[in-house]
Amino acid sequence: MSLNYFVAPQVAAFLEEKARDYGPGLSGALFGAGWWFWVDACAASGVNIPFVQYLPGVVATLALIMINCIRRDELQEYDAFDEGVFFRSRFWLLMSYIVSIAAIGGSVAVLLKDYALDTSVQTAWPGVAGLCQTTLILGSALLFFVSRLPGDTDGSYSAYSSF
């Protein structure tokens, strides 16, 4: 479905033009903000956070890498003689979305089990920060994936990619 169905054509053209320029930068800012939330929670909580609570953020980062390993033109162009590239690309994207949902589920489970339902804990900030971390990282993954135009085979994202 085209963006022109939802917004004016001038706005759609502006967004498509600027998404290539500003999308990767905003995506990196979201990724950094997600990890900043988690580092802040680890530093400010004053307790030793077990490694199990780090896993949702690590899995979300893995999902970011998995989502952005696929070129968008592999998902949009179907060729009957492509030897399964169309299917493999869509299957890999499905698996990366499943990993993403598992990361969010893990952060919700950590929040509920270790912070919300446990009355002996003084603060729930590490659990909330873990949930913020995974959602920001996965938002970063989707923004970075969408900011690439179909047919970006050279890997460049802006006019300054040679630096």
Side-chain angles (χ1 to χ4, degrees), residues 63-71 140-142 144-146 148:
L64 177 139
I65 294 168
M66 287 175 66
I67 288 171
N68 289 294
C69 283
I70 301 169
R71 292 189 330 222
S140 167
L142 291 176
F144 192 66
F145 182 73
V146 170
R148 296 184 296 172

Side-chain angles (χ1 to χ4, degrees), residues 34-151:
W35 276 103
W36 178 81
F37 272 112
W38 181 249
V39 169
D40 178 65
C42 291
S45 67
V47 296
N48 188 13
I49 296 177
F51 178 73
V52 173
Q53 295 180 8
Y54 285 82
L55 288 178
V58 172
V59 170
T61 303
L62 175 69
L64 177 139
I65 294 168
M66 287 175 66
I67 288 171
N68 289 294
C69 283
I70 301 169
R71 292 189 330 222
R72 284 182 51 198
D73 61 343
E74 290 178 354
L75 299 172
Q76 293 175 348
E77 298 174 2
Y78 176 72
D79 183 16
F81 303 105
D82 69 350
E83 298 177 3
V85 173
F86 185 73
F87 173 74
R88 285 192 301 260
S89 299
R90 287 183 180 252
F91 183 73
W92 182 261
L93 191 62
L94 175 69
M95 289 296 115
S96 62
Y97 285 153
I98 290 171
V99 170
S100 301
I101 291 171
I104 291 177
S107 65
V108 169
V110 165
L111 173 63
L112 291 177
K113 179 184 166 289
D114 295 334
Y115 296 102
L117 300 177
D118 190 5
T119 58
S120 66
V121 177
Q122 297 173 346
T123 180
W125 173 236
V128 173
L131 184 60
C132 291
Q133 175 197 24
T134 55
T135 54
L136 286 173
I137 289 173
L138 297 174
S140 167
L142 291 176
L143 179 63
F144 192 66
F145 182 73
V146 170
S147 67
R148 296 184 296 172
L149 295 175

